[in-house]
Amino acid sequence: MLQIAICDDNRADGQMMKALLSESLQIMGEPGCCHIFQNGKALEYEVEDGQDFDLLFLDIELGDEDGFLLAKRLQSSLPASLLIFVSSYEKYVYDSFKLQPFRFLPKRCLTQMLSETLSAAVAELKRRENRFLLVENGQGAEKIPLEAITYIRQRGKYACIAKADGSRNRVRRTLKKSVGGAAGGTIFSN
């Protein structure tokens, strides 16, 4: 089920976005759940409690909060999530590029653009589902999305896999086997 976070300090805008997204999900036949947050702190608390979101619809001006700073913090916690900025101020579109959002939606065009944006985001998430590194650990195997990997470094007989959330996996495998498995199909799955 698709998990969507909407963070907008304007309650009416958040409710409207939820209604439009819910209607689009129903038309697409995609199961999903929309969560509305009126400030970034509430959204961050939810993420800290373990809630994962596939899509983040963030307003840039959140009262006293800066939506860009919130996005930066969320991207480190949720590297596989797609970020979509929503703003009444189109002057921010170029500044948003620094955070590499999936899209930027002007609020004045929300009803026209939201359905197409959601459809494109769902297609991108499905494409990404098959891009991961399979790592064996003591409890079995872990699928690490490629978007969550910051780097892989070789240390002797071990490969150290650093993830965007700050955690690391250490596996007894050469770097060549860790990243070279794509050809053999044993590490990466397509």
Side-chain angles (χ1 to χ4, degrees):
M1 177 183 290
L2 198 62
Q3 296 294 323
I4 301 172
I6 300 165
C7 190
D8 196 315
D9 60 334
N10 182 314
R11 181 181 214 104
D13 286 351
Q15 291 293 339
M16 181 184 71
M17 206 176 323
K18 179 179 181 176
L20 291 169
L21 286 167
S22 297
E23 181 182 339
S24 293
L25 286 169
Q26 190 173 18
I27 290 168
M28 293 168 58
E30 283 290 331
C33 186
C34 298
H35 307 264
I36 300 175
F37 302 92
Q38 287 190 277
N39 62 64
K41 287 180 179 42
L43 174 53
E44 286 184 288
Y45 288 140
E46 198 69 22
V47 171
E48 287 172 11
D49 282 346
Q51 178 66 48
D52 193 17
F53 293 103
D54 302 296
L55 298 174
L56 301 168
F57 286 86
L58 302 182
D59 192 0
I60 294 174
E61 289 191 357
L62 294 165
D64 296 343
E65 295 178 88
D66 180 338
F68 287 139
L69 293 176
L70 172 63
K72 191 178 247 184
R73 291 190 303 269
L74 289 172
Q75 282 181 322
S76 66
S77 301
L78 301 169
S81 299
L82 293 182
L83 172 63
I84 299 162
F85 283 118
V86 181
S87 182
S88 296
Y89 305 100
E90 294 177 42
K91 65 183 180 184
Y92 292 128
V93 71
Y94 295 111
D95 292 333
S96 75
F97 291 163
K98 295 174 189 168
L99 293 165
Q100 299 179 330
F102 181 70
R103 297 279 167 92
F104 183 101
L105 294 176
K107 282 189 177 181
R108 67 177 176 77
C109 302
L110 204 55
T111 53
Q112 299 93 330
M113 296 176 69
L114 194 60
S115 179
E116 187 276 328
T117 297
L118 179 62
S119 180
V122 168
E124 175 63 16
L125 289 169
K126 286 181 179 181
R127 185 187 69 77
R128 287 182 178 188
E129 278 180 1
N130 296 322
R131 295 180 52 206
F132 61 87
L133 180 64
L134 185 61
V135 177
E136 293 180 23
N137 57 31
Q139 293 78 34
E142 178 183 359
K143 285 171 65 172
I144 305 172
L146 292 185
E147 290 79 14
I149 298 173
T150 5
Y151 64 86
I152 301 174
R153 178 182 10 197
Q154 183 70 40
R155 297 222 175 191
K157 297 178 184 177
Y158 294 89
C160 177
I161 302 162
K163 297 186 275 186
D165 66 3
S167 65
R168 299 184 193 296
N169 288 68
R170 190 174 148 210
V171 294
R172 189 176 169 119
R173 161 171 266 130
T174 65
L175 187 58
K176 181 179 179 181
K177 284 184 181 178
S178 293
V179 292
T186 57
I187 306 298
F188 292 99
S189 176
N190 293 330

